[in-house]
């Protein structure tokens, strides 16, 4: 069947015409016009806009249906034959038929127009398929980044767009490629022929893949990425472990606070941050601690957690598994199964919680010098496989049921701890409080009670009874290659201050129950982060005492938080907070001279 479209405008215009240029119209003679079947739009039923016509017929359809149903119900109640119709009912039936014809035409013809708008759909050939693929690539190259275009797909009808002059179109941002081969690859990625994520495997050169991907993003978005550096980074070091589809790296300055005198040893603490005054403030706290004889830090617990969620048919069966897991004899068997997953993973305990017929089992284990999330997950999977044989009706909902709890503020981490639980303390002499911190002991104690304790309680804080512990934790985490998202629970901290020695000196402590750090794996093996770990003397795994490097790093984090809390609280007590930020956190450069 030969069918022509009513509209002469193409669905996807392949050419943009200038204001004075007219598109060529297709030529057809009179004989072809007579032989073709015309597709008439449903909107031609009335000389009204389409939305008014549709509204009118929809209203008429439902009104007439309601009228006829009401009348027929009345006839049934009165035992009147249905074939006996009045004049009004006859008119309603005619109106119903008219509205049904219109609605069928509106939806049916619209579907036919969409399906046959390409011409004769009975004869599909390779040219049609190639045309559709070209049409798909015009829909926006951003949608094809990282995936190949479909082999065969009928493009949806799009409303005609107003013609845009060439001058109105944003010019694509194009940087010449280093070679013709790279230029061809860039074009293929933009067109969706090569997935962006496969560049490393196809090229065998991670830096070249990042360079091509960066240029692809510039051409697709039209935004410049000139300020994002590409050179000076080892992209092979992140392949398959740290970051996928890189286009460069972000520069974060690293400052040094210290020396921090902690447990009789001096540490120069690297802090990666873009916040002014943070390193200077922490450095002042380190100075006050050093002048007072140093700080002492004690590790309370060391255990990473993972809590799967399992479900049974009844709460009774869930309780039976809880008793099974908590039985000391059965626990030894489970510990042996768990410990086989790694040389360093050692199961310590399993804490259970029930919600109806759902059981949450919080596994706690030591993980050596690794932060240990993957290690503990592997061990938990082994135990679940073992329990599945004992409890075949157990349905494992997920290996993580959020009772762990990872990267979320939670009371279970605040109370039970996760990772390394640490307390750090120092006694700051009255002389240091006055000369270095520029405040008074009594003022610090009062401020801590009203701000860190009472104020946080008023705010309903969860583990946030401190001034700015997360500031220091984040800076040290980024510098040493830790997972920045775990700053959430790692910053759980309560800061305590008390006057001692007849009220002359200040006793300050920070208690942090869930510091999650490691010295191997993840970002710790990158060159910059590895250098920062080496500066602290905790790089890599400790062969003589596995886990001691990670535990030492946790104490350094707590000691740095102690210094940061001491300095910030002193600045607030002395009314120096605003002045110090204006001094260290505001540029004094003459912008006009710099720009000229």
């Amino acid at each position: 069947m030969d069918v022509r479209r009513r509209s002469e405008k193409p669905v996807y215009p392949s050419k943009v015409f200038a204001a004075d240029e007219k598109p060529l119209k297709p030529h057809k003679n009179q004989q072809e016009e007579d032989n073709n079947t015309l597709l008439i739009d449903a909107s031609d039923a009335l000389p009204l806009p389409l939305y008014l016509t549709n509204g009118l017929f929809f209203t008429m359809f439902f009104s007439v249906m309601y009228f006829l149903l009401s009348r027929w119900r009345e006839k049934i109640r009165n035992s009147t034959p249905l074939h006996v119709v009045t004049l009004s009912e006859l008119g309603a039936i005619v109106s119903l038929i008219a509205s049904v014809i219109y609605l069928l035409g509106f939806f049916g013809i619209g579907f036919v127009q969409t399906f046959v708008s390409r011409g004769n759909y009975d004869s599909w050939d390779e040219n049609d398929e190639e045309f559709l693929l070209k049409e798909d690539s015009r829909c926006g190259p951003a949608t094809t980044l990282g995936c190949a275009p479909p082999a065969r797909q009928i493009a949806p009808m799009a409303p005609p767009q107003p013609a845009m002059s060439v001058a109105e179109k944003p010019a694509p941002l194009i940087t010449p490629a280093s070679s013709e081969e790279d230029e061809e690859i860039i074009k293929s990625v933009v067109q969706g022929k090569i997935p962006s994520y496969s560049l490393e495997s196809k090229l065998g050169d991670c830096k070249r893949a990042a360079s091509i991907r960066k240029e692809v993003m510039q051409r697709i978005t039209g935004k410049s990425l000139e300020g994002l550096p590409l050179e000076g980074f080892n992209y092979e070091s992140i392949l398959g472990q740290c970051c996928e589809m890189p286009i460069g790296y972000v520069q974060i300055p690293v400052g040094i606070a210290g020396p921090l005198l902690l447990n009789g040893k001096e540490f120069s603490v690297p802090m990666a941050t873009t916040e002014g005054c943070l390193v200077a403030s922490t450095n002042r706290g380190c100075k006050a601690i050093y002048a007072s004889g140093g700080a002492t830090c004690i590790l309370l617990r060391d255990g990473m957690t993972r809590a799967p969620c399992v479900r049974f048919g009844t709460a009774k069966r869930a309780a039976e598994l809880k008793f099974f897991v908590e039985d000391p004899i059965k626990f030894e068997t489970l510990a042996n199964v768990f410990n086989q997953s790694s040389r360093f993973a050692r199961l310590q305990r399993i804490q259970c919680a029930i919600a109806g017929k759902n059981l949450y089992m919080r596994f706690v284990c030591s993980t050596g010098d690794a932060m240990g999330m993957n290690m503990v997950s592997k061990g938990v999977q082994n135990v679940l496989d073992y329990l599945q044989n004992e409890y075949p009706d157990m349905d494992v909902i997920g290996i993580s049921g959020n009772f762990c709890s990872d990267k979320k503020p939670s009371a279970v981490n605040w109370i039970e701890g996760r990772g390394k639980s640490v307390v750090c303390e120092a006694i700051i002499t009255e002389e240091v409080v006055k000369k270095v911190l520029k405040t008074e002991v009594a003022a610090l104690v009062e401020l801590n009670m009203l701000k860190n304790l009472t104020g946080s309680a008023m705010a309903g804080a969860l583990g946030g009874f401190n001034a700015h512990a997360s500031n220091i934790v984040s800076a040290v985490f980024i510098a040493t290659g830790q997972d920045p998202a775990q700053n959430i629970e790692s910053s759980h901290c309560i800061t305590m201050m008390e006057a001692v020695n007849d009220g002359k000196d200040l006793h300050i402590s920070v208690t942090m129950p869930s510091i999650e750090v490691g010295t191997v794996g993840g970002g710790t093996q990158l060159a910059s982060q590895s250098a920062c770990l080496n500066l602290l003397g905790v790089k890599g795994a400790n062969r003589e005492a596995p886990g001691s490097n990670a535990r030492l790093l946790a104490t350094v984090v707590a000691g740095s938080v102690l210094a940061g809390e001491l300095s910030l609280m002193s600045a607030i007590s002395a009314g120096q907070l605003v002045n110090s930020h204006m001094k260290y956190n505001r540029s004094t450069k003459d912008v006009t001279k710099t720009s000229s």
Side-chain angles (χ1 to χ4, degrees), residues 67-68 71-72 75 80-94:
F67 172 75
L68 290 176
R71 295 286 296 169
W72 290 339
K75 289 183 178 181
T80 304
L82 294 179
H83 64 273
V84 177
V85 295
T86 63
L87 188 60
S88 60
E89 291 173 346
L90 183 61
I93 293 173
V94 172

Side-chain angles (χ1 to χ4, degrees), residues 302 368-369 519 538 541-554:
D302 181 7
D369 285 305
T519 58
V538 295
N542 192 309
R543 297 181 181 273
E544 298 177 358
S548 59
N549 281 355
R551 290 191 287 268
L552 181 56
L553 178 58

